[in-house]
Amino acid sequence: EDYDDEYLDDEEYEDDEEYEDDEEYEDDEDNEALSDEAENLGYTIDLQGGSPRFVNANIIDWASNVDVRGSVEFPVLMQVLGMKFRFGAEIGTFNFTHTLPPGTDTYAGISAMGILAFPAGPGKIKIGTGIVGKSPGFIMEATYGFRIGGILDIRGGFRSTEVINATTTEELELGHTGWVDGIIVLGINL
């Protein structure tokens, strides 16, 4: 009887080892698939044009122009709880002119953001944080479109920009400022 118990314990131990080996093998397969998918994506360059359509009360009396942005996403694909995302960086412009007389003040400059991009077929969701002019800020963007061949895609969508403490060229502090752009994006996959 002692011999049988000992033998059964050994069998249970061997079964546990087999399951652990299977789990490690499955993890390796998942990591390889994710790595292959990232290599297939390569670098992605997004060229974007947009114009603010909705603004908060701080810049309701300000006229806007067309803004341009460029971003690059690196060929590193991460996955957390089933969500796949990529890291990237973006630089762009923003430009508002005060319309009330005397109309000499502007709120304009360059924005620089670190971004996370969540690819979803021909669509993409981006979130990012960085500098908008002289102030910290963040963005959220959602676009959807279609692919042209394996290299290009064209997407349209919306983008929200929030600035923590906006300051104009004449040093007028606007405070927390935000706007929503309608955007068109040309994506190039290298």
Side-chain angles (χ1 to χ4, degrees), residues 74-97:
F74 306 109
V76 175
L77 188 64
M78 306 293 285
Q79 182 171 352
V80 175
L81 300 175
M83 291 186 304
K84 296 177 182 174
F85 59 92
R86 300 173 72 187
F87 296 103
E90 175 186 274
I91 191 161
T93 65
F94 64 96
N95 191 351
F96 294 90
T97 305

Side-chain angles (χ1 to χ4, degrees), residues 50-156:
S51 181
R53 293 293 114 207
F54 302 102
V55 298
N56 74 349
N58 294 347
I59 53 175
I60 196 76
D61 297 325
W62 297 66
S64 61
N65 293 314
V66 173
D67 300 319
V68 294
R69 296 174 199 93
S71 68
V72 62
E73 295 166 25
F74 306 109
V76 175
L77 188 64
M78 306 293 285
Q79 182 171 352
V80 175
L81 300 175
M83 291 186 304
K84 296 177 182 174
F85 59 92
R86 300 173 72 187
F87 296 103
E90 175 186 274
I91 191 161
T93 65
F94 64 96
N95 191 351
F96 294 90
T97 305
H98 201 212
T99 56
L100 296 179
T104 58
D105 202 2
T106 61
Y107 175 52
I110 303 286
S111 64
M113 300 277 168
I115 58 172
L116 290 178
F118 300 85
K124 192 180 289 186
I125 296 172
K126 289 183 185 178
I127 59 173
T129 187
I131 299 294
V132 181
K134 299 176 186 176
S135 175
F138 58 92
I139 60 104
M140 294 177 64
E141 175 183 307
T143 57
Y144 193 78
F146 56 91
R147 271 188 195 246
I148 302 171
I151 296 175
L152 297 175
D153 57 70
I154 296 176
R155 302 186 313 272

Side-chain angles (χ1 to χ4, degrees), residues 18-36:
E18 286 177 26
Y19 291 131
E20 287 174 11
D21 290 344
D22 289 346
E23 288 173 7
E24 288 175 18
Y25 182 70
E26 287 173 7
D27 287 343
D28 288 344
E29 281 182 346
D30 290 344
N31 289 339
E32 283 181 24
L34 200 58
S35 176
D36 290 343

